[in-house]
Amino acid sequence: MTVKDAVRTRAEPQSTYERRARYHTSENPFTFGYPPVPARQFLAERDRAFDPATPTSAIALDAAGDLGTPYPATTPTLLCRYLKMRAGEQLRAAFAASGAIYYVMAGSGESRNAADLIKWSTGDVFSFPGGGETTHRAGGADSLLFVATDEPLLAFERLSPPAPQESVVDTAHWPAHEIARRFETVWQRPVTENTTGHSVMFSTEALAPGYMTIPSINVAINTLAAGGDQRPHRHNGVAVTLAIQGEGIYSMIGGQRVDWSTGAAQITPATLLHSHHNRGVKRMRSLVIQDEGLHHYTRTPGFSFD
C-alpha cells in the first residue's frame, strides 16, 4: 500500500463495526481499571436480619458501590443475601443464577422449587438450580436463611440461567445431623504440614470429579478449636465467610486484623495472605463460600502457605 492509498483509506467513513473497535497498547497489559475487592464486613445487613422488627424480606450484601458494578454483587462473582421470614410467612425469590446454596441460620421450615421440596432446620445446607422461582416458608418461629449465588458472574456476561432440564446443579440437602457426624472424623484427623483447616465441603455427584456446590462456587463449614490458629495461606478465589460462631475470633487479612462478629459475613479478597485465630472458649464455626470452582476448572487455584 502506498502513502497515497493509506491517506485515501483513512479518509473513508468508518463503519459501525470499526467505530466500536478499541486498541489497547499499554506497556503492561496486565493493568486494569476495576476497583479492588475490599476486605469488609456486612454488619448493618446482619443487624437488619437479626432485628425482630424486620419484616419478611431478602437483605442483599451488596458491595456494588465498592466494586463498580451496575448490578448487585457481594464480590465480582458472588451475591449473598439473608432471607428473613416471620413465623408462618413465606418468601418467593427467583435468582438469575446457575444455582443457589442455602444455610439455615435459625428456625425451621420448607422450600419448594418446581417439583422439589426440602424441609429444613437450623444448621442444614441445601441447594436448588437457578432460574426458577423458589418459595420459602417459615415454621412456627421466625427463620433466617443465608443464600449465595453466582448472579454477578452471569450478569457480567449477560447470560441467562440454564433451563431446568439442562442445569448441572442438583437439588440437594445436607442435614445438620449428618454434617455433625462427618465432623467427628475430621476433628480426629491429626494436623500435618498440609492441613489447611478442619472443614466439611458440600458437593454432588453431578459435579464430580470436582467438589464444588455449583460449578463456580465451593461451600464448606470450617471450624477451629478454642485457642487454635489456622496458618497463613492464600488462594486465587475470593471468600465470603459467615461467622456462625465468631466469639473471640479474629482474622489477619493482608496484615490487617478483622475481629469477627457472630452472624455477620466478611470478605477475604483473592490472593491476600490471611489466617484465622481463636482466642475464645468455643470452637469457631463458619460458612465459607468461594468462587474457587472457577480456578479449579482453569487449573489456577493459586494456593500456598506463603
Side-chain angles (χ1 to χ4, degrees):
M1 176 182 290
T2 67
V3 173
K4 183 177 180 180
D5 290 334
V7 171
R8 185 173 64 250
T9 301
R10 288 198 298 270
E12 293 175 355
Q14 287 186 318
S15 69
T16 298
Y17 312 117
E18 289 175 302
R19 287 195 298 272
R20 292 174 182 166
R22 296 294 181 268
Y23 302 89
H24 186 67
T25 58
S26 170
E27 181 182 25
N28 182 355
F30 292 96
T31 59
F32 57 90
Y34 294 119
V37 177
R40 61 167 287 185
Q41 291 176 298
F42 294 88
L43 300 175
E45 292 83 354
R46 185 276 313 273
D47 293 345
R48 284 177 56 200
F50 279 36
D51 186 346
T54 298
T56 295
S57 57
I59 302 167
L61 280 60
D62 187 7
D66 295 326
L67 300 172
T69 60
Y71 39 79
T74 307
T75 76
T77 60
L78 304 172
L79 180 56
C80 300
R81 298 176 177 88
Y82 295 100
L83 301 185
K84 169 71 177 288
M85 288 166 284
R86 296 281 190 89
E89 295 186 358
Q90 67 179 26
L91 179 63
R92 291 188 174 94
F95 302 133
S98 298
I101 308 109
Y102 301 83
Y103 174 76
V104 185
M105 298 182 67
S108 61
E110 63 181 33
S111 297
R112 180 181 294 277
N113 182 293
D116 295 328
L117 176 69
I118 290 181
K119 296 184 177 182
W120 42 260
S121 57
T122 301
D124 286 6
V125 176
F126 62 96
S127 66
F128 284 122
E133 183 178 79
T134 302
T135 300
H136 308 281
R137 183 183 296 276
D142 288 0
S143 296
L144 185 63
L145 306 179
F146 190 83
V147 57
T149 73
D150 61 351
E151 289 165 89
L153 184 60
L154 271 64
F156 175 61
E157 297 203 48
R158 300 183 183 181
L159 300 175
S160 299
Q165 65 272 18
E166 297 176 355
S167 177
V168 297
V169 177
D170 284 335
T171 298
H173 186 195
W174 299 269
H177 65 82
E178 182 61 23
I179 296 171
R181 190 179 74 83
R182 300 298 174 124
F183 267 118
E184 291 177 4
T185 301
V186 170
W187 290 333
Q188 294 175 7
R189 191 167 54 212
V191 176
T192 71
E193 61 180 12
N194 291 319
T195 299
T196 59
H198 291 85
S199 64
V200 172
M201 302 188 72
F202 308 107
S203 189
T204 63
E205 291 183 3
L207 292 173
Y211 45 81
M212 275 55 73
T213 319
I214 70 174
S216 63
I217 301 174
N218 56 291
V219 179
I221 290 179
N222 189 30
T223 64
L224 183 62
D229 299 284
Q230 187 172 357
R231 65 187 290 194
H233 60 284
R234 68 177 88 231
H235 37 72
N236 285 342
V238 70
V240 177
T241 301
L242 175 69
I244 301 170
Q245 198 311 102
E247 183 179 348
I249 316 299
Y250 72 92
S251 297
M252 295 299 298
I253 303 176
Q256 300 296 315
R257 175 168 171 152
V258 178
D259 292 302
W260 288 27
S261 185
T262 296
Q266 64 191 46
I267 296 174
T268 301
T271 74
L272 283 189
L273 191 68
H274 58 283
S275 59
H276 308 303
H277 310 272
N278 188 346
R279 296 299 175 262
V281 297
K282 300 178 182 178
R283 188 185 297 273
M284 176 271 277
R285 194 176 184 92
S286 64
L287 182 75
V288 183
I289 302 159
Q290 299 174 296
D291 62 1
E292 198 68 44
L294 285 173
H295 298 286
H296 284 201
Y297 180 67
T298 57
R299 286 68 165 175
T300 58
F303 180 86
S304 72
F305 285 116
D306 54 25

